[in-house]
Amino acid sequence: MRVREDLLHYVWRSRRFELSHLQTTAGASVEVLDFGQHNQNAGPDFLNAKVKIGDTVWAGNIEMHVLSSDWMKHRHNEDRAYDNVILHVVLEEDLPIYSAMAERIPCLELRKRIPLKLANIYQRLQQNEHWIPCQHHFFEVSDFVKQMWMDRLLVERLEQKTKLIELELARNQNNWEETFYWFLARNFGVKVNAEPFEWLAKSLPLNILGKYKNSLTQIEALLFGQADMLTQDFKDDYPNALKKEYDYLRHKHRLQPISGTSWKFMRMRPANFPTIRIAQFTALIHQSVHLFSKILEAEDIKAIEQLFRVEVSDYWQTHYVFEKTSEARHKRLGKSTIHLLLINTIGPFLFHYGTQRDIEAQRKKALQLLEQLPPESNRIITGWKALGMSPKSAYETQALIQLKNAYCNQAKCLDCAVGHAILK
């Protein structure tokens, strides 16, 4: 039976092994009084356990391995964090293990105690190459189990996103407006131009833009200049005016532009060109430098959406790039773009702000926001629809994306509520 260590963790925490007449490999009786808490961090696998071995009750930690010799491979013998291991639980003992005090660590072998059916299902889940490991069993799991798991997955996805926010906030002296501006810029670039957009925002502090909040032209000059898009000699009056203004402001504020070679235009719809995105971002900053404060004050999704209904300057109504005239067209942020910004930036920021400041109303607003947004459309969601899932909101699609990326792709069936239900 080919087994990974995570199966041992699973059967231990779920008590899914034969518990009667337990003995160490040395023949001492074993009674588990407390299975301990599963440790997801460095150190022994289960903490604060309590085990009766023979006539003695031991309190401490439990370590698990497929083979007992893995203790030496993982160099636990050199790590003082393992000095308080009271029981070594293994699939098979191939080598007696001794503590730093030269005393043999009691070993419990599970090789003949894991139900064969459970092991077989586990192996099938781990070894198949379906889109998700449980593809042929997924429909068997109740909708109640799936919905409860989706609720947890959504929160988990938000928490995962907020870790990045927390990291940048720490680097930014807890400046929420500036940090929000960075993340908003990144998501304006979508995937293709996310990095240069983030570099652009970080190269141009929000407080500098705030000095020119009443001038759309000056904000546009700063952003296009810092994007390294005003270096050539232009024939059109408008880009020449931007260039002249930027040269003055760059010297005044000692600014250093990012590399213009970072921007990507190829294989993109003109409406998504970085020039248009920067023009839209300019209009948004011009409308409100303190955008995050307004989002916190907004009462509902419509009020938040309204903050993003901005129009580019006159020049960009008839251009997609500098000096190439196009048919006049409104270039507002589209509804789908606004929704992506709400999902990827605003929702996580509201959730983290509510968590950090202990304001439940803001956490609730973040969840309600996702519940009110339409479901996303991408390859992952198409895959889930093929399996019978019919997400009705971004709340559900975000949960399904988390399930696919964090569990199915990693074959972490034993940590998944759906996988757990199938194994039961």
Side-chain angles (χ1 to χ4, degrees):
M1 179 170 60
R2 204 174 157 193
V3 167
R4 294 192 331 193
E5 194 177 301
D6 59 350
L7 180 61
L8 300 183
H9 292 193
Y10 173 77
V11 299
W12 184 263
R13 67 176 187 263
S14 61
R15 287 47 158 183
R16 297 289 303 281
F17 64 98
E18 178 55 57
L19 286 161
S20 61
H21 307 297
L22 295 177
Q23 285 188 328
T24 68
T25 52
S29 63
V30 175
E31 182 182 356
V32 183
L33 305 176
D34 189 330
F35 286 77
Q37 293 89 47
H38 194 201
N39 178 27
Q40 303 284 0
N41 302 310
D45 296 315
F46 287 83
L47 307 177
N48 304 317
K50 188 180 289 185
V51 179
K52 185 178 181 182
I53 301 174
D55 296 325
T56 306
V57 174
W58 298 87
N61 305 322
I62 292 172
E63 177 64 7
M64 295 189 171
H65 291 115
V66 175
L67 297 174
S68 60
S69 58
D70 291 340
W71 180 285
M72 307 302 290
K73 287 181 183 177
H74 300 168
R75 304 179 76 169
H76 296 334
N77 55 310
E78 301 173 11
D79 191 341
R80 298 302 300 272
Y82 293 83
D83 285 354
N84 197 30
V85 168
I86 58 173
L87 185 65
H88 193 196
V89 178
V90 301
L91 185 70
E92 183 178 351
E93 184 185 50
D94 62 337
L95 179 73
I97 299 300
Y98 294 84
S99 69
M101 304 297 292
E103 295 177 349
R104 185 171 176 178
I105 299 174
C107 182
L108 175 65
E109 203 174 57
L110 297 183
R111 181 163 49 94
K112 296 179 180 179
R113 293 182 173 273
I114 298 175
L116 184 59
K117 185 177 180 181
L118 172 65
N120 288 337
I121 294 173
Y122 165 78
Q123 283 189 312
R124 286 201 300 272
L125 290 175
Q126 294 298 307
Q127 293 173 3
N128 73 65
E129 296 182 2
H130 300 311
W131 190 71
I132 60 171
C134 65
Q135 191 155 312
H136 295 313
H137 299 280
F138 186 76
F139 68 93
E140 299 171 356
V141 179
S142 72
D143 290 340
F144 176 77
V145 169
K146 290 174 185 172
Q147 189 55 57
M148 292 293 288
W149 184 225
M150 295 265 282
D151 291 342
R152 175 58 208 153
L153 287 167
L154 187 275
V155 172
E156 186 178 288
R157 183 159 177 80
L158 284 170
E159 288 173 344
Q160 191 177 74
K161 290 182 177 182
T162 59
K163 285 180 182 177
L164 297 175
I165 296 173
E166 189 171 14
L167 184 64
E168 294 290 20
L169 272 170
R171 291 175 180 169
N172 212 4
Q173 287 79 52
N174 221 37
N175 186 325
W176 282 90
E177 289 288 355
E178 185 81 14
T179 307
F180 180 76
Y181 158 67
W182 288 356
F183 277 80
L184 187 65
R186 181 178 180 85
N187 286 315
F188 249 79
V190 199
K191 286 186 178 179
V192 178
N193 285 302
E195 285 194 342
F197 240 111
E198 183 179 346
W199 299 336
L200 170 59
K202 288 182 175 179
S203 76
L204 184 58
L206 190 59
N207 67 341
I208 292 179
L209 289 171
K211 296 177 188 295
Y212 307 99
K213 61 183 179 182
N214 295 322
S215 172
L216 180 62
T217 301
Q218 287 178 305
I219 294 176
E220 204 158 269
L222 282 164
L223 284 164
F224 278 107
Q226 283 300 102
D228 203 27
M229 293 184 181
L230 298 176
T231 56
Q232 69 188 77
D233 293 324
F234 298 103
K235 295 178 182 177
D236 289 355
D237 290 339
Y238 186 68
N240 270 325
L242 291 182
K243 183 178 181 180
K244 183 178 180 181
E245 185 66 32
Y246 173 67
D247 288 342
Y248 166 73
L249 294 174
R250 176 185 178 181
H251 178 75
K252 179 180 178 180
H253 296 289
R254 300 178 181 178
L255 298 172
Q256 183 62 43
I258 69 170
S259 172
T261 59
S262 305
W263 299 104
K264 296 177 178 65
F265 287 82
M266 296 294 290
R267 293 187 291 277
M268 294 184 70
R269 292 173 56 244
N272 289 328
F273 279 178
T275 42
I276 299 303
R277 290 292 193 192
I278 292 172
Q280 292 167 336
F281 194 61
T282 298
L284 189 61
I285 297 297
H286 175 59
Q287 177 176 278
S288 177
V289 176
H290 302 293
L291 186 58
F292 185 58
S293 296
K294 290 192 174 182
I295 290 169
L296 290 174
E297 294 167 3
E299 293 183 0
D300 52 36
I301 187 173
K302 289 184 179 179
I304 294 175
E305 283 182 327
Q306 192 60 40
L307 295 172
F308 287 83
R309 299 196 186 284
V310 294
E311 186 65 86
V312 297
S313 62
D314 292 343
Y315 182 82
W316 294 107
Q317 303 284 357
T318 55
H319 293 78
Y320 287 103
V321 294
F322 285 114
E323 302 207 299
K324 284 190 178 181
T325 306
S326 63
E327 182 182 348
R329 182 171 296 177
H330 291 294
K331 297 185 177 74
R332 304 183 185 93
L333 281 173
K335 184 171 282 190
S336 61
T337 300
I338 294 174
H339 288 171
L340 285 175
L341 292 172
L342 292 173
I343 292 168
N344 295 315
T345 308
I346 294 161
F349 261 84
L350 287 174
F351 189 82
H352 188 54
Y353 186 85
T355 300
Q356 195 176 87
R357 300 292 179 90
D358 196 22
I359 305 174
E360 186 58 32
Q362 294 296 351
R363 283 170 56 94
K364 188 176 179 180
K365 186 159 70 172
L367 298 176
Q368 289 175 338
L369 189 73
L370 295 172
E371 286 177 334
Q372 293 169 24
L373 287 170
E376 299 156 90
S377 178
N378 52 48
R379 290 181 182 178
I380 291 178
I381 301 307
T382 299
W384 283 117
K385 285 181 177 179
L387 293 178
M389 297 297 287
S390 301
K392 297 177 175 57
S393 68
Y395 183 107
E396 294 180 353
T397 53
Q398 282 288 289
L400 289 171
I401 290 169
Q402 182 70 6
L403 177 55
K404 172 65 173 164
N405 290 338
Y407 292 87
C408 303
N409 289 354
Q410 312 299 325
K412 293 177 69 174
C413 307
L414 302 178
D415 296 318
C416 171
V418 173
H420 181 66
I422 291 168
L423 287 165
K424 286 179 71 177

